[in-house]
Amino acid sequence: MSSQLGFFAVSVPPPTGRIVRPQVVAKNDEVAICSDEEAMARHLEATGNYRILRKLQPRRIVGRPRPEFRRHGVILDTETTGLNYRFDEIIEIGAIAFTFNDAGAIGDVTGVYGGLQQPTIPIPPDITRLRIYAENSPFDMKDHLKARGYRWSDGSDGRPKSWWIELPEEKLEEELHFLRTEIYRWDADPPVKYLTALDRFWVA
């Protein structure tokens, strides 16, 4: 793990009594919307019809933490080949060091560590999974995909720009049948990527 993975989510305060509405101005016979994205998000939330997800920003790692946060903590995350401590092995460790105060408020991130280890035993098949990408699926089928557990990838992380789902290998044929009969309505061959635990939890 080489990023903070959103451990320090900053809560978004509820909208105040005064609703800031996005400004609409005319420019060169075109309509331009004010670039204040947070104001637009709060306006949508205030209607009661929307819930807005905000991208979490990693905190900067500091060399000199603020003195008012004098306590130190570490968040430790591990991935293993299984749950039996006698036989299974750790294959990944991630850690975030941070400071906090007596009230429990998070202060600064002081260090991040991520490491992988090749296990001496094969990774069990039950933790080997695969990803199916429903590329070029019809737009009007998006609600059906969401209801089945598919998530959207915008392509910014190197994955295909499409809906995708992660499944156990034994569910592959069942899922392909669903896509071909319910979504594409033809004998499509969507991309399938086989994953191991190392692949799934690796952060570039």
Side-chain angles (χ1 to χ4, degrees):
M1 182 180 70
S2 59
S3 68
Q4 297 167 32
L5 300 180
F7 279 121
F8 300 104
V10 179
S11 59
V12 178
T16 60
R18 178 176 176 271
I19 299 176
V20 181
R21 299 181 181 276
Q23 300 177 357
V24 179
V25 296
K27 182 179 180 182
N28 297 331
D29 297 327
E30 296 180 355
V31 176
I33 298 178
C34 173
S35 61
D36 188 346
E37 296 176 349
E38 183 60 28
M40 290 190 285
R42 293 195 179 212
H43 170 63
L44 290 173
E45 289 175 325
T47 67
N49 295 324
Y50 301 91
R51 294 178 62 187
I52 308 299
L53 297 178
R54 291 168 173 81
K55 182 178 180 179
L56 297 178
Q57 300 296 332
R59 296 196 180 193
R60 182 172 57 90
I61 300 174
V62 302
R64 295 183 178 179
R66 289 169 289 177
E68 60 266 34
F69 297 94
R70 55 191 184 84
R71 296 188 177 275
H72 295 266
V74 174
I75 296 174
L76 181 66
D77 180 45
T78 63
E79 299 298 337
T80 69
T81 58
L83 300 178
N84 190 322
Y85 71 91
R86 292 187 178 91
F87 307 107
D88 291 308
E89 302 177 20
I90 294 175
I91 58 177
E92 182 179 7
I93 294 179
I96 300 173
F98 63 97
T99 60
F100 63 102
N101 62 18
D102 292 339
I106 302 295
D108 300 301
V109 174
T110 57
V112 173
Y113 170 80
L116 297 172
Q117 175 174 281
Q118 181 68 33
T120 59
I121 61 175
I123 296 178
D126 60 332
I127 62 171
T128 300
R129 296 169 69 84
L130 53 84
R131 233 176 240 155
I132 302 177
Y133 295 97
E135 287 188 321
N136 302 316
S137 57
F139 179 78
D140 58 356
M141 291 288 107
K142 63 183 179 66
D143 290 336
H144 295 276
L145 291 167
K146 288 171 64 176
R148 196 169 174 90
Y150 279 75
R151 290 183 280 180
W152 173 252
S153 169
D154 62 7
S156 60
D157 58 358
R159 291 183 296 185
K161 185 177 181 180
S162 66
W163 292 94
W164 64 274
I165 193 171
E166 192 172 305
L167 298 166
E169 189 172 5
E170 60 268 20
K171 296 287 186 179
L172 174 59
E173 292 304 321
E174 176 185 334
E175 198 62 28
L176 290 176
H177 178 74
F178 163 75
L179 290 173
R180 290 164 178 166
T181 58
E182 302 293 332
I183 302 301
Y184 292 106
R185 310 283 174 87
W186 62 283
D187 195 19
D189 191 19
V192 177
K193 179 176 175 57
Y194 286 83
L195 307 172
T196 65
L198 290 174
D199 294 320
R200 281 183 291 138
F201 298 106
W202 171 255
V203 178

